[in-house]
Amino acid sequence: MKVVIVGGVAGGATAAARIRRLDEQAEIFVFERSGYISYANCGLPYYIGGVIENPQQLTLQTPESFFSRFRVHMKVHHEVTAIHPERKTVSVKKLESGEIFEESYDKLLLSPGAKPTQPRLPGVGIDKLFTLRTVEDTFRIKEYINNNHPKSAVLAGGGFISLELAENLRELGMDVTIVQRPKQLMNPFDSDMASFIHSEMRRHGIKLALGHTVEGFVEKEDGVEVLLKEEPSLCADMVVLAIGVTPDTYLAGEAGLELGIKGSILVNDRMETSIPDIYAVGDAVQVKHYVTGQEALISLAGPANRQGRIAADNICGGDSRYPGSQGSSVIKVFDMMAASTGLNETNAKKAGLDVDKVILSPMSHAGYYPGGRLMTMKVVFEKETYRLLGSQIVGYEGVDKRIDVLATAIHTGMKATELKDLDLAYAPPYSSAKDPVNMAGFMIDNLADGILKQFHLEDLASLPHDGSVTLLDARTAGEYRRGHIDGFVNIPVDELRERLGEIEAGKPVYVICQSGLRSYIACRILAGNGFDCYNFSGGFRFYDAVMHDRCLIETAFACGMDKN
């Protein structure tokens, strides 16, 4: 059997190695148009910032090492220019010489990945405008920085690459501004949870121009002018376009393969395309979202690697199936970690699901053990069924552990109420006897049993201030003085039983505290005394972070954001 693979990196290289492990006799060719067949795409920004010092650490395998171990013919600087399904060949161009030849195949695997989205804007293509996707892109940016010592950069886009690059450029001492059309960074997160990411970025000096549209670029002698719609221009020594990626599927389309979202390649759960003996994997393919079953594009290394293995199994006569992508991810944001899995609340509602959520602020480990840090967790679930849909966590140590537990729970089809039953490892330096995941389960179980009733940030504006309800802040008097929501009166939870007479009977009571715990206790006291009580999800800490962030977003330019 002869297998031709178009593209290396994650999916293609994984498939090549797996095919060899399953079939020692297979003849395997990989054509990669860049100079690198297997590299750590996610590590590229960290080389630019100097965290990864040796460029050879970015390349996981070389053509020589891959051939030595797997006897796979890795052909770099070879671009496949056409696919001929009718005669089962591909046209290949040797980029270094210009020679063109045809290579036959029995099985063909497409792993072309995705390319940086290049908007049709004035100025795209100027010398000081970069994209970051390949090792060559990385070296180009690194060389420019080393030779020109830029003091400022504008990054267009607010996804993974942009945030990682912003951090690394900032660590080099550069003044960094991120421009993003949506009013938040990191679309896997809901806007409320993104507030904590924004705060960490600002704390380290990153300027955020959120809700602003880039309309073009003008190269100046001393840098680049970034034109914004209906706002003053920004100027910087360099600009990086990081507004997303587009499936690189020109070849597939020309060959007559069926295409889907944004021109992605349609595949079944065996990673087979619409043409026999042609498979496709990675960022170029349309998949099903594991939670909704709806069609999706999810460009992450983990799914690409798993798809490469599944395609290899099936090429070698097996019957492996890809269940769909869940979108689990984690990112370092300076000192913080931000992680998500499954559906966020926004996308769950777009999918037509009736959802609810709990928001909590647990410690990363036992409070009595030194060094614990708060994390903010949001767990989204379906009303009535309590099907677990997704989660987002922002914090410090322990974030990755909890998101992986929740990702596993979603994959196994657990109900959100069942999180309380998970038997998770505990020692004071690492967790609490009631792990944060368990705590989320306790809260959701209380909702299911009617013990807890909630109101959320989006409900605040509709709460009446005409005396028909009681708005109660259960924090200490000192906390209340340092900041509170207008209309909420202060009765600390530890004084509540003695001051019940101050709360008018027969009126619903809406209670808030700092994180949601004391207000829950207050609600239980009130419910035990005949009151109809609602607890504010997330507490004043969450409210303050989100509202402060929204104010900064709306007033960024009005408040004199530095435009260099």
Side-chain angles (χ1 to χ4, degrees):
M1 177 176 65
K2 183 177 180 181
V3 182
V4 168
I5 300 174
V6 180
V9 195
T14 294
R18 176 69 171 172
I19 291 168
R20 173 58 70 226
R21 290 194 293 270
L22 296 176
D23 186 345
E24 182 63 20
Q25 307 308 317
E27 191 178 6
I28 309 168
F29 287 83
V30 178
F31 295 113
E32 169 61 47
R33 64 186 165 202
S34 76
Y36 302 89
I37 52 97
S38 181
Y39 57 87
N41 192 287
C42 301
L44 301 182
Y46 298 99
Y47 174 69
I48 292 171
V51 177
I52 298 172
E53 297 180 355
N54 187 347
Q56 293 180 342
Q57 291 178 297
L58 295 174
T59 54
L60 307 177
Q61 292 276 3
T62 65
E64 294 76 19
S65 68
F66 216 97
F67 183 81
S68 176
R69 176 159 296 181
F70 298 110
R71 293 300 188 268
V72 170
H73 304 279
M74 288 286 186
K75 302 294 186 180
V76 297
H77 298 131
H78 282 61
E79 182 176 9
V80 174
T81 58
I83 303 168
H84 312 290
E86 70 283 355
R87 58 180 184 268
K88 300 187 80 168
T89 66
V90 295
S91 295
V92 185
K93 181 178 182 179
K94 292 183 179 180
L95 297 179
E96 293 174 341
S97 67
E99 177 190 345
I100 297 175
F101 63 94
E102 280 199 11
E103 191 75 50
S104 64
Y105 66 82
D106 296 310
K107 304 286 184 180
L108 176 65
L109 174 64
L110 304 180
S111 180
K115 55 190 176 183
T117 301
Q118 292 272 19
R120 294 180 179 178
L121 296 175
V124 169
I126 61 178
D127 289 342
K128 297 171 185 175
L129 181 66
F130 302 89
T131 59
L132 179 56
R133 184 69 178 175
T134 67
V135 174
E136 287 89 346
D137 294 336
T138 308
F139 291 161
R140 195 175 301 116
I141 294 173
K142 184 77 168 177
E143 182 181 16
Y144 179 82
I145 292 172
N146 290 342
N147 292 341
N148 296 279
H149 309 290
K151 293 181 171 59
S152 60
V154 168
L155 310 183
F160 289 95
I161 290 293
S162 183
L163 266 66
E164 290 167 346
L165 186 57
E167 176 179 342
N168 281 278
L169 294 180
R170 185 64 184 152
E171 295 292 354
L172 291 175
M174 295 175 63
D175 185 88
V176 180
T177 301
I178 296 177
V179 183
Q180 166 88 328
R181 182 183 297 172
K183 291 187 177 182
Q184 69 166 89
L185 303 174
M186 295 299 293
N187 286 334
F189 293 79
D190 289 312
S191 61
D192 50 11
M193 293 296 290
S195 299
F196 295 90
I197 299 174
H198 299 168
S199 177
E200 182 72 359
M201 297 293 282
R202 295 189 187 102
R203 190 170 73 86
H204 285 85
I206 304 294
K207 299 178 179 67
L208 302 180
L210 304 177
H212 299 285
T213 302
V214 175
E215 292 201 317
F217 309 93
V218 178
E219 188 161 16
K220 302 287 188 179
E221 186 175 338
D222 58 348
V224 181
E225 183 180 2
V226 182
L227 308 177
L228 302 182
K229 184 177 181 179
E230 300 176 355
E231 291 291 352
S233 299
L234 298 171
C235 292
D237 296 328
M238 61 181 291
V239 175
V240 180
L241 271 179
I243 60 175
V245 294
T246 302
D248 191 357
T249 57
Y250 173 79
L251 279 179
E254 288 293 294
L257 276 68
E258 290 186 27
L259 304 180
I261 302 171
K262 293 185 178 179
S264 57
I265 303 171
L266 285 180
V267 293
N268 60 19
D269 61 357
R270 287 170 47 86
M271 311 313 299
E272 295 169 323
T273 70
S274 59
I275 294 180
D277 295 324
I278 301 181
Y279 298 74
V281 300
D283 294 353
V285 305
Q286 177 177 295
V287 298
K288 290 189 182 297
H289 196 287
Y290 185 80
V291 178
T292 65
Q294 296 177 351
E295 309 299 342
L297 285 177
I298 298 179
S299 300
L300 292 169
N305 276 280
R306 292 192 295 277
Q307 291 162 16
R309 178 186 173 91
I310 288 166
D313 288 352
N314 295 322
I315 285 171
C316 293
D319 188 24
S320 291
R321 306 279 175 161
Y322 186 64
S325 295
Q326 199 169 300
S328 301
S329 66
V330 63
I331 185 172
K332 179 181 180 292
V333 186
F334 290 97
D335 300 328
M336 183 179 275
M337 279 192 284
S340 68
T341 187
L343 288 177
N344 62 27
E345 181 184 7
T346 304
N347 289 332
K349 289 180 176 177
K350 286 180 180 178
L353 299 172
D354 188 16
V355 303
D356 201 353
K357 74 264 189 176
V358 292
I359 298 165
L360 58 157
S361 302
M363 294 287 285
S364 57
H365 61 243
Y368 59 82
Y369 188 90
R373 304 285 296 274
L374 280 175
M375 64 178 72
T376 304
M377 292 178 61
K378 181 175 185 177
V379 180
V380 181
F381 56 93
E382 191 173 27
K383 288 182 180 178
E384 305 300 331
T385 68
Y386 290 91
R387 179 166 66 111
L388 190 59
L389 300 176
S391 181
Q392 302 148 65
I393 312 177
V394 181
Y396 301 89
E397 59 270 8
V399 165
D400 51 345
K401 168 185 173 180
R402 274 66 187 218
I403 207 69
D404 283 343
V405 171
L406 288 159
T408 304
I410 292 171
H411 187 81
T412 59
M414 286 181 60
K415 289 186 176 182
T417 51
E418 294 176 318
L419 295 175
K420 71 183 189 304
D421 301 319
L422 291 175
D423 193 351
L424 304 174
Y426 158 61
Y430 307 114
S431 185
S432 301
K434 298 176 182 177
D435 188 87
V437 175
N438 294 138
M439 290 300 299
F442 294 147
M443 293 171 66
I444 298 167
D445 190 57
N446 283 338
L447 286 169
D449 291 341
I451 295 172
L452 172 65
K453 292 191 286 188
Q454 299 185 111
F455 68 109
H456 301 291
L457 185 66
E458 59 269 25
D459 300 322
L460 281 173
S462 61
L463 288 180
H465 287 66
D466 58 2
S468 59
V469 302
T470 299
L471 306 178
L472 177 64
D473 191 320
R475 296 177 298 159
T476 65
E479 289 174 305
Y480 183 81
R481 283 194 299 270
R482 287 191 290 273
H484 60 269
I485 303 174
D486 289 343
F488 280 75
V489 297
N490 180 223
I491 302 179
V493 64
D494 292 336
E495 302 174 15
L496 184 57
R497 289 184 179 89
E498 290 71 34
R499 297 175 62 179
L500 284 174
E502 299 177 29
I503 304 174
E504 188 174 341
K507 292 181 180 179
V509 185
Y510 292 81
V511 190
I512 191 171
C513 73
Q514 189 67 11
S515 68
L517 176 58
R518 284 174 289 172
S519 51
Y520 167 64
I521 295 170
C523 276
R524 296 313 304 147
I525 293 170
L526 290 165
N529 285 275
F531 290 91
D532 183 21
C533 192
Y534 298 81
N535 185 31
F536 182 74
S537 178
F540 186 81
R541 171 182 174 270
F542 183 77
Y543 164 86
D544 190 46
V546 176
M547 298 308 291
H548 180 66
D549 177 62
R550 290 178 180 176
C551 179
L552 289 176
I553 291 171
E554 294 300 329
T555 59
F557 278 93
C559 293
M561 187 183 72
D562 185 8
K563 307 174 195 62
N564 297 321

